[in-house]
Amino acid sequence: MTQYADNITAEIVAEHGITEDEYQIILDRLGRAPNMVELGIFSVMWSEHCSYKSSRAHLGKFPVTGEKVIQGPGENAGVIDIGDGQAAIFKMESHNHPSYIEPYQGAATGVGGILRDVFTMGARPVALMNALRFGAPDHEKTTHLVSGVVAGIGGYGNCVGVPTVGGETNFHEGYNGNILVNAMAVGLADTDKIFYARGAEPGQPIVYVGSKTGRDGIHGATMASAEFDDESEEKRPTVQVGDPFVEKKLIEACLELMATDAIAAIQDMGAAGLTSSSVEMADKGGVGIKLNMDAVPQREVNMTTYEMMLSESQERMLVIMKPGREDVAKAIFEKWELDVAVIGETTDSGRMVLEHKGEIVCDIPIAPLADDAPKYHRPYFAPEVRAQISGKDVAQPLHMGEVLKTLMGSPNMASKAWIYRQYDRHVMADTAASSEDPSDAALVRVHGTNKALAITTDCTPRYCSADPFEGGKQAVAEAWRNITATGADPIAITDCLNFGNPEREEIMGQFVGCVEGMAMACKALDFPVVSGNVSLYNETNGQAIPPTPAVGAVGLLPDMDKRMGYGCLSDGHILLVVGKTVGAMGASLYLKEIEGREDGGAPMVDLAAEKANGDFVRGQIRAGRLTACHDLSDGGLMCAAADMALASGTGIKLAHEAETDVPMHGFLFGEDQARYLVAAKKDDAIALIQDAKAEDIPLQVVGLAGGTSVSVNGAHAVKIDDLRAVHEGWMPALMTPIAEGAE
């Protein structure tokens, strides 16, 4: 008969997300039944959000080392070497479930949490990015969710004083019941001043700093590891509440403490709060931990140990100090008007012991909470791969200009200026290119130098739905292209793997396919994974989101004077496409918006071509031969040309050769990979063609800059002003009812 402690039943165990088999493991590890505090601790540490129990078996497929990798997965964030004794520290994480339930606070605390992951390693945050997925524009909740999430991101990021420099926003009915809010932060540090969660030794004091602990966010990690249903809104109390002004003080206080050489290890209190931060530092240091819960700064009266350990109150950090240095922390944090308290010490017991009001209320081994947590090899089957579709398989429209207007004014191509103009993109004065600038990646100057970080987020969920393996490859490849198109060297990625219920074999198949595709691309492009996050159970009433393995990437631009964008066209510039065009139309934006279809296979990703073509483009940028460069992705060539025309105010005359095997609409709107649209002056174009021939790089002259329209073969013209109206008008029209309601 299953053994339970007083006041604990099988139903209570199930409510904590612990299965019957997992409960038996707990009994085995403890040799007795857990009490309520211990059950709560196992619950959050064994949640998908903290343990990665369904994904760990596959995450090892990623390449995680490289010439410039200082720290890969396993710490708060990844670290790469950017030369001159400097490092970039970055990570991406999800805050999906909280943002659906309470969009403002869910998104705001997502920003706060990802900032803490970066500055806990000694970095000053210099940039924020996001990747947002909302439901269909006409769904009843979409505008409310968009408004709340954007306000939350802007409200927190703007107040904390870190620029939000870019990202992506998509709409699809597959996210109607479960939006995705993925936040990314990037920071800078000296390579000899990086801090880790590991490093603790027995006999060191444990210091709590930041805000007081309240009852907000209890079981947030568990909630983030479960499906939604019709009662999901009742989970609002599990959403945390943030204060960006406290976070700003916390950043400055932590960086000041880090300058004193008093820290042995440090960890932010994120998901699972005090539980995860203490367990992770104890596990990585191979030590035990003893906490006096009476000493924990508390915002509310009569808080229980269960509540304090599981609270996800924001703006808190846990620091293991070198012995005798507690007063250093006390002086700094009191100066910044933040709470600071010694709440325990590390031990040699290998156990977590909690004392409250004179009683031992928890005594459990560390190992089962961390590396010895359950690890599942979920069964899966690979989704059926769809047949490829080319332009020859799709009826050709009569007027390409009308198609272009439709695509440029569609939800996923239209300007998102309504969103990013609510973000402070230039605070700190080092933003060289952000959302509003014609650049495929954001550029943030490394302060005091002439080099810059190139940062992007990318994923095409419709490709991942069509073919998870190719879709996973494409997400990495597009991030690599976007960084390359600025002239920067791609260095490494972080990821946020968003999927449905892994207990369903088809969902697990999507996950495995995407991971294996990403891993192959990372290896081929020398683009290792240094940090990331897995977010599962993103579904409502059994309806899963489209597979969405978001990729955040960072590269280095050695010389800001040689940066490249796509807004510098002038009359007479020659337009060329680097890469082979076959007119792949499967899973394309054209099919969805023009044909009302979402079928066909994802475009195939030739990684050797990606590498060769990208290296060629980067070399031409640095040789000074290009005036503009734009990655070809959603909407294909004609949409990329429209982007260039809108950014520069100069028209483009495209040319399609009738005798080719690629029909005009496939040539214009196909989404073949490994391609760039580049512009060059005549003499440079001649040299470009010669170099491409010498290096066996596919290159095709496709047009000429000039005039006030985008046209093809002297016809199908659409004026730039008309394109601008549809491109910039869609989002304000969608959000106008919200704005009017606010008034």
Side-chain angles (χ1 to χ4, degrees), residues 37-51:
V37 173
E38 294 164 339
L39 181 68
I41 288 171
F42 273 103
S43 169
V44 292
M45 291 308 298
W46 285 9
S47 68
E48 287 286 354
H49 196 79
C50 292
S51 73

Side-chain angles (χ1 to χ4, degrees), residues 48-49 94 97-98 219-227 535-538:
E48 287 286 354
H49 196 79
S94 62
H97 286 51
H219 273 298
T222 307
M223 179 269 291
S225 306
E227 298 178 40
S535 176
L536 302 177
Y537 294 96
N538 289 291

Side-chain angles (χ1 to χ4, degrees), residues 19 48 54 225 227 378-379 500-508 537:
T19 67
E48 287 286 354
S54 295
S225 306
E227 298 178 40
R378 303 277 191 197
N501 184 344
E503 297 167 48
R504 293 167 52 194
E505 293 183 6
E506 69 275 20
I507 300 298
M508 199 64 207
Y537 294 96

Side-chain angles (χ1 to χ4, degrees), residues 690-712:
Q690 291 172 341
D691 285 355
K693 185 175 181 180
E695 297 182 35
D696 199 24
I697 299 295
L699 185 69
Q700 180 181 6
V701 175
V702 296
L704 188 68
T708 58
S709 300
V710 177
S711 63
V712 188

Side-chain angles (χ1 to χ4, degrees), residues 30-343:
L30 296 184
R32 59 175 172 80
N35 62 33
M36 184 61 82
V37 173
E38 294 164 339
L39 181 68
I41 288 171
F42 273 103
S43 169
V44 292
M45 291 308 298
W46 285 9
S47 68
E48 287 286 354
H49 196 79
C50 292
S51 73
Y52 295 167
K53 58 190 176 185
S54 295
S55 59
R56 277 189 294 162
H58 300 283
L59 297 178
K61 298 171 182 177
F62 286 138
V64 297
T65 59
E67 180 185 352
K68 296 184 179 179
V69 175
I70 295 174
Q71 174 65 54
E75 273 289 342
N76 287 289
V79 186
I80 58 173
D81 191 334
I82 60 169
D84 306 310
Q86 296 175 304
I89 299 179
F90 60 99
K91 190 180 183 183
M92 179 184 251
E93 276 205 341
S94 62
H95 230 228
N96 305 333
H97 286 51
S99 299
Y100 184 81
I101 295 169
E102 184 64 63
Y104 185 95
Q105 289 297 346
T109 52
V111 172
I114 199 63
L115 284 171
R116 288 193 298 279
D117 279 334
V118 166
F119 74 75
T120 192
M121 297 197 69
R124 177 168 293 281
V126 297
L128 287 163
M129 300 278 282
N130 53 68
L132 312 177
R133 322 280 170 182
F134 297 103
D138 59 358
H139 187 264
E140 60 183 1
K141 290 187 176 181
T142 295
T143 52
H144 162 71
L145 291 168
V146 171
S147 180
V149 165
V150 171
I153 292 171
Y156 204 100
N158 295 355
C159 292
V160 84
V162 179
T164 300
V165 296
E168 55 181 345
T169 303
N170 296 150
F171 296 86
H172 189 278
E173 54 269 26
Y175 303 103
N176 281 350
N178 203 125
I179 65 173
L180 301 184
V181 175
N182 297 170
M184 178 179 174
V186 184
L188 291 170
D190 292 336
T191 53
D192 60 350
K193 296 177 183 176
I194 297 169
F195 290 79
Y196 299 95
R198 62 181 185 267
E201 297 177 357
Q204 294 175 325
I206 300 170
V207 179
Y208 172 120
V209 299
S211 291
K212 288 181 170 63
T213 294
R215 291 188 170 97
D216 52 323
I218 293 174
H219 273 298
T222 307
M223 179 269 291
S225 306
E227 298 178 40
F228 278 165
D229 54 30
D230 292 332
E231 279 71 52
S232 295
E233 304 248 345
E234 296 176 7
K235 297 178 180 177
R236 191 169 268 117
T238 62
V239 178
Q240 313 92 322
V241 177
D243 185 334
F245 297 106
V246 173
E247 180 100 341
K248 174 61 176 172
K249 293 195 295 183
L250 186 62
I251 292 173
E252 300 304 330
C254 285
L255 293 178
E256 186 174 335
L257 180 62
M258 288 166 173
T260 67
D261 192 34
I263 297 173
I266 184 169
Q267 176 82 35
D268 78 296
M269 292 193 217
L274 186 52
T275 292
S276 65
S277 55
S278 55
V279 167
E280 288 175 19
M281 283 199 291
D283 177 62
K284 289 171 183 174
V287 300
I289 199 160
K290 184 175 182 179
L291 301 181
N292 173 15
M293 304 308 295
D294 298 308
V296 174
Q298 298 164 51
R299 193 170 66 231
E300 301 180 44
V301 297
N302 298 321
M303 290 192 72
T304 65
T305 300
Y306 180 98
E307 291 171 329
M308 285 186 275
M309 291 303 292
L310 270 60
S311 167
E312 294 185 8
S313 294
Q314 296 293 285
E315 293 86 42
R316 302 179 300 159
M317 308 283 281
L318 199 62
V319 188
I320 297 178
M321 305 287 294
K322 295 178 180 178
R325 308 301 299 275
E326 300 94 322
D327 288 346
V328 175
K330 185 176 181 181
I332 291 172
F333 283 87
E334 285 182 350
K335 182 187 78 173
W336 286 98
E337 299 179 324
L338 295 167
D339 278 278
V340 54
V342 178
I343 65 169

Side-chain angles (χ1 to χ4, degrees), residues 656-712:
H656 171 256
E657 298 176 8
E659 62 272 17
T660 66
D661 291 335
V662 183
M664 183 181 286
H665 59 310
F667 169 76
L668 294 174
F669 303 111
E671 296 180 5
D672 305 298
Q673 300 297 295
R675 296 189 304 158
Y676 302 79
L677 178 61
V678 302
K681 298 175 183 177
K682 182 178 179 181
D683 289 346
D684 289 327
I686 293 171
L688 186 68
I689 292 168
Q690 291 172 341
D691 285 355
K693 185 175 181 180
E695 297 182 35
D696 199 24
I697 299 295
L699 185 69
Q700 180 181 6
V701 175
V702 296
L704 188 68
T708 58
S709 300
V710 177
S711 63
V712 188

